[in-house]
Amino acid sequence: MTEYRHYRNGIWAEHSSTFEVREPYSGTLFARVAACGRADAKAAVDAAAAAFDSWAALGPAAKAALFLRAAEIVEARREEIADLLARETGSGSYFANFQQNLVKQTLLQAAQWVYQPAGEVLHSDHPGTHSTVVRRPLGVVASFTPWNGANILSWRAVLQPLAAGNTVVVKPSELAPVSAGLIVAEICEAAGFPPGVVNVVTHAPGEAAPIADEFFENPDVRCINFIGSVQTARMLSERAGRALKRTVMELGGYNPMIVLDDVDLDYAVRCATFSAFFHQGQICMNARKIYVQRGIFDQFLERFVAKTRDLKLGNPADPSTVIGPLITDAAVQSVHSRVTEALAAGAKALTGAAFDGKIYEPTILVDVPDSCAVSTVETFGPVVIVQPVDTAEEAVEQINRSLYGLTSSILTGNTYRGFELAAKVKAGAVHVNIPTIDEEVQAPIGGVRDSGWGRTGTYSLSDFTDLVWVNVESGQRDLPIG
């Protein structure tokens, strides 16, 4: 068990009260963490505001050197961070390595984001006028980071604003304050980031409101960067609208997979298993509903059920474990209540529909009525619906009824057919012959419709900068009056 202070202005600040974080799998005490309040949030924002001008003015070579040094530290601490992820978030070795590889790649690519063009030259209809558009950083960005992909999502929520020239205050989830924030602060400090550039404010369960109040009411905070649920995003967006603050929202999804009748069935089953059950269904990109053409529906189900029953359940610290614990008892109950509702309405569970402690068995449902919550609302657990369709077009029509639009997958033996269908699916990412879960640092990750707005990587520069028109006249303009 380790005690953690919160981090602001380059120091680990003491706090009079703490809260406990327990391991999802064993319930063992993992850490005691500073329980901050509004005054701590204000101090962190003040530190970020004071550091902003110098950070924004720092040259790209100096920024890049810090990102590259941080990448070296991440690699050196790989095993330690994997252990933290397993203990604090229930992440198995597969997901821990998946995240850490992305973190390292993101840090390496962030070193070149700072060299992206800072604007462009415009043509002017006025001779002697030099017209330019310049990107300028916003100021302080307040980033809310989640527990589920804690390592990669917290780094992304920090690096994108930093690369654009902003300073950051992070409010990590109380379910994973170390993985979703404090470990980032440790590495940034070790890499030599200037004081105040990165700050992390932690809070006890149920005590996020005072910190959020400070973010929304403090004029130095110019952007709310949120990664989390649609329900919370609605509340934050309302507050941001009243405060006239910019928002970037990376939200959940009800992600579909289409399996066409010309597919390699074994590959389709592997993609479905990975998409549905990776990190026990607690990733916003997990597949929630799989549409299978009727001609191969029974064959697909038989193989998918067999593969699912072979998945190993247990301690995430065991490298062979595939299905570890859900994050909390409340999460288990939420998943089970939706499964139970579906079964009561006539659905059938071909696997799972049961749990032991916080481990929920991977569950395949069929014949689920559309009226059930699990059929339309993101259920954060290892539960997937498999549904027959006659045609690919029928699947696309049903997919586009959803208000979500994060990611999707089309599996087919005809790549061109998949490419044509991809143009019709309303989602931020459409993967052909790839699982619903896929991420490359150079790609614009993000959703459409109720799955949010804003994109990652170099595409995030427009989210975290203002466009300023700088218009210079070398002579004197003819004016209509005066």
Side-chain angles (χ1 to χ4, degrees), residues 84-363:
L84 288 173
L85 288 167
R87 293 171 59 206
E88 188 178 31
T89 71
S91 174
S93 61
Y94 301 100
F95 192 40
N97 284 316
F98 181 84
Q99 289 188 73
Q100 290 192 85
N101 289 338
L102 279 174
V103 168
K104 183 178 179 181
Q105 291 169 20
T106 303
L107 281 160
L108 293 176
Q109 291 207 24
Q112 62 88 15
W113 294 346
V114 297
Y115 283 100
Q116 291 296 306
E120 58 185 333
V121 177
L122 303 181
H123 293 291
S124 175
D125 287 326
H126 300 281
T129 295
H130 301 277
S131 187
T132 61
V133 176
V134 179
R135 289 196 179 278
R136 290 183 178 163
L138 305 174
V140 178
V141 174
S143 289
F144 293 69
T145 57
W147 56 265
N148 59 322
N151 197 24
I152 177 56
L153 295 180
S154 59
W155 273 107
R156 205 157 70 197
V158 168
L159 288 175
Q160 292 174 164
L162 290 187
N166 305 284
T167 53
V168 182
V169 180
V170 178
K171 188 213 77 65
S173 167
E174 68 272 27
L175 299 177
V178 179
S179 302
L182 293 172
I183 194 68
V184 174
E186 284 185 3
I187 292 169
C188 287
E189 180 187 41
F193 281 72
V197 172
V198 176
N199 310 270
V200 179
V201 180
T202 53
H203 64 85
E207 298 298 326
I211 295 172
D213 289 345
E214 182 61 33
F215 291 164
F216 283 108
E217 295 171 20
N218 192 315
D220 285 325
V221 175
R222 298 310 311 149
C223 178
I224 303 296
N225 181 23
F226 176 74
I227 306 172
S229 71
V230 172
Q231 294 84 352
T232 302
R234 291 187 193 281
M235 295 186 292
L236 296 181
S237 294
E238 285 183 14
R239 293 202 65 181
R242 291 196 297 271
L244 293 179
K245 293 186 189 292
R246 185 178 302 195
T247 60
V248 178
M249 297 283 171
E250 184 176 336
L251 310 179
Y254 195 88
N255 307 307
M257 172 178 282
I258 302 174
V259 181
L260 301 184
D261 57 9
D262 57 0
V263 76
D264 180 312
L265 265 179
D266 287 337
Y267 179 66
V269 167
R270 287 164 49 209
C271 286
T273 304
F274 174 72
S275 295
F277 302 130
F278 194 48
H279 194 41
Q280 43 276 9
Q282 296 180 119
I283 303 173
C284 58
M285 294 180 180
N286 284 115
R288 306 299 175 187
K289 188 176 288 187
I290 302 174
Y291 298 89
V292 183
Q293 275 197 284
R294 206 173 296 275
I296 60 168
F297 183 76
D298 291 338
Q299 291 175 277
F300 174 85
L301 262 186
E302 181 182 0
R303 299 189 194 189
F304 187 31
V305 168
K307 175 72 75 173
T308 301
R309 286 176 174 160
D310 284 342
L311 300 179
K312 182 176 178 179
L313 287 60
N315 189 341
D318 181 344
S320 64
T321 293
V322 177
I323 304 294
L326 297 188
I327 190 69
T328 62
D329 289 325
V332 174
Q333 291 304 319
S334 175
V335 170
H336 195 58
S337 68
R338 290 187 182 173
V339 171
T340 302
E341 178 202 24
L343 295 178
K348 300 181 182 66
L350 304 185
T351 62
F355 60 92
D356 181 7
K358 291 192 183 74
I359 296 182
Y360 203 92
E361 295 179 13
T363 300

